[in-house]
Amino acid sequence: MGVIQLIVDGDLTTVVVEAGALSALGEALVEHCGPSRGRAAVVITDETVGGLYGAGIGASLVGAGWTPLSFSIRPGEQSKRLTTAGVIYRFLSDNRAGRDSVIVALGGGVVSDLAGFVAATWMRGVDFAICPTSLESCVDASIGGKTAVNIPGGKNLVGAFHQPKLVAIDPQVLVTLPFRDICAGLAESIKHGILFSEDFLSWHEENASAVLSLAGSFVGELIERNVVFKGDIVSGDAKEQSGKRILLNFGHTIGHAIESCCGFSLRHGECVSLGMVAASRLSHSSGLLGESEVLRVESVLSQYDLPVRLPEAMSWDRIRDAMLRDKKATAGSPRFVLLDGIGCPVVRDGVDENDVRAAYESLI
Ligand SMILES: NC(=O)c1ccc[n+]([C@@H]2O[C@H](COP(=O)([O-])OP(=O)(O)OC[C@H]3O[C@@H](n4cnc5c(N)ncnc54)[C@H](O)[C@@H]3O)[C@@H](O)[C@H]2O)c1
Ligand SMILES: [Zn+2]
């Protein structure tokens, strides 16, 4: 496995994909964040992941001369909010975590989005590293420097860009990940195939059982190809300005609305799966995508046990309302990433609302 270096917005991020990367974390932090000299390394994790891997990381930090501190949140999307960030600021202040502290996210995308937000804002920004432990985070959330918390008005509405100096991926931690979260994480990987590479989409179709059983060489290849796809996009458009990075939102306009309306009973990746089916349908009704390609999208998602129909009813009015509050809405109309074929994403504003409604209702 390997080391991938990304330069995003002028900042260097080193991504290490290696069995044992967690136990080597202390030394790796010295290499990428500077000498430890007793500086605080604040591990932000959730109760589940902290219970499994917190002690190992703590030992590695002590061994390399860091002063480890640890804060655990309750697992799940509900913790990704300002009140949790507020409690963490209090913890940092009580423990006198200074300007030279390093914040380490140990967990899935919820932990890295929240810890990254804290790292971006604590003392106007301190060093940040991520040890992703969910597949979602290994293939997507740990790359690109987007950090965020949710507010009642919508998902990820408050946040900042803050690039990690180090992303240390140890694929061995995935063995404890529940099957549902393995599948959910693969939605974003399938998204990268649909958007950028027909070859990568076929790879998912041909290797589903090996990937789902986390067979060693497949997992390494899966993670590294995704880091390269996402890294390439975010390096060229760090702050979502030139139009490249927005393509990564394929499936997220309707997906985020479903996620907000289901009270977070569905995983992010499950909502993205539903959103990709609806966006593919919308691409078809917009005259862009063939029926057989819509069915191909549904079929590969089903291979990975991802939902392609809504498991619970959510009225169109609530979904519409949530979509209009989405960050990507321009002048009160949601923005869509559609497909002009597999591997050919296009951005569309001003899509007819009746078509969007029909695409959403095709999920029922
Ligand atoms: N910043 C970005 O670019 C970006 C990109 C994609 C997703 N996200 C965000 O990521 C979040 C979803 O991420 P997620 O699916 O990783 O959620 P998560 O962090 O809630 O993790 C899912 C569940 O898996 C558990 N878990 C994680 N690793 C484990 C392990 N190794 N063993 C056992 N259990 C483990 C967690 O405790 C949690 O219960 C969403 O909030 C989404 O908005 C951000
Ligand atoms: Zn996503």
Side-chain angles (χ1 to χ4, degrees), residues 45-50 52-53 73-78 80 106-114 130-148 150 155-156 160 170-178 180-182 184-185 188 191 230 234 245 248 252 256 259 264 267-270 272:
T45 186
D46 73 27
E47 287 159 2
T48 307
V49 177
L52 289 163
Y53 303 109
I73 62 167
R74 299 188 67 176
E77 189 73 32
Q78 304 277 23
K80 205 177 107 176
L106 170 67
V110 163
V111 168
S112 57
D113 275 11
L114 173 70
I130 306 180
C131 302
T133 64
S134 70
L135 211 43
E136 167 83 40
S137 185
C138 293
V139 303
D140 190 354
S142 62
I143 306 300
K146 274 192 181 178
T147 78
N150 307 321
K155 200 178 142 63
N156 295 340
D170 186 342
Q172 288 175 330
V173 300
L174 297 173
V175 298
T176 52
L177 192 65
R180 181 176 178 186
D181 290 293
I182 293 175
E188 307 270 14
K191 179 191 81 178
K230 185 160 181 196
V234 300
R245 189 166 182 162
L248 297 171
H252 283 62
H256 272 166
E259 198 172 355
F264 300 118
R267 295 283 196 267
H268 176 72
E270 293 167 349
V272 171

Side-chain angles (χ1 to χ4, degrees), residues 8-9 146 161 196 231-249 335 345-347:
V8 186
D9 208 18
K146 274 192 181 178
F161 288 97
F196 306 121
D232 190 42
I233 291 289
V234 300
S235 303
D237 184 16
K239 296 207 167 134
E240 209 163 295
Q241 285 163 334
S242 80
K244 262 177 113 181
R245 189 166 182 162
I246 193 149
L247 300 175
L248 297 171
N249 290 310
R335 168 170 284 183
V346 290
V347 178

Side-chain angles (χ1 to χ4, degrees), residues 99-286:
R99 181 76 196 81
D100 64 350
S101 309
V102 181
I103 291 194
V104 179
L106 170 67
V110 163
V111 168
S112 57
D113 275 11
L114 173 70
F117 179 69
V118 168
T121 46
W122 179 246
M123 301 207 171
R124 299 197 185 85
V126 295
D127 285 352
F128 179 43
I130 306 180
C131 302
T133 64
S134 70
L135 211 43
E136 167 83 40
S137 185
C138 293
V139 303
D140 190 354
S142 62
I143 306 300
K146 274 192 181 178
T147 78
V149 291
N150 307 321
I151 58 170
K155 200 178 142 63
N156 295 340
L157 286 187
V158 177
F161 288 97
H162 193 60
Q163 299 300 332
K165 294 219 154 123
L166 171 70
V167 178
I169 304 181
D170 186 342
Q172 288 175 330
V173 300
L174 297 173
V175 298
T176 52
L177 192 65
F179 185 69
R180 181 176 178 186
D181 290 293
I182 293 175
C183 298
L186 286 160
E188 307 270 14
S189 178
I190 293 168
K191 179 191 81 178
H192 290 153
I194 293 172
L195 284 174
F196 306 121
S197 164
E198 204 272 335
D199 170 66
F200 194 39
L201 184 62
S202 302
W203 183 89
H204 285 90
E205 291 166 330
E206 285 155 19
N207 299 306
S209 60
V211 173
L212 283 170
S213 62
L214 299 178
S217 62
F218 287 92
V219 175
E221 182 176 354
L222 173 87
I223 294 173
E224 289 187 14
R225 286 181 83 166
N226 277 293
V227 170
V228 170
F229 275 125
K230 185 160 181 196
D232 190 42
I233 291 289
V234 300
S235 303
D237 184 16
K239 296 207 167 134
E240 209 163 295
Q241 285 163 334
S242 80
K244 262 177 113 181
R245 189 166 182 162
I246 193 149
L247 300 175
L248 297 171
N249 290 310
F250 174 63
H252 283 62
T253 310
I254 290 178
H256 272 166
I258 293 172
E259 198 172 355
S260 299
C261 293
C262 74
F264 300 118
S265 62
L266 296 173
R267 295 283 196 267
H268 176 72
E270 293 167 349
C271 299
V272 171
S273 173
L274 291 161
M276 288 195 289
V277 172
S280 302
R281 263 290 144 224
L282 188 56
S283 306
H284 177 61
S285 59
S286 304

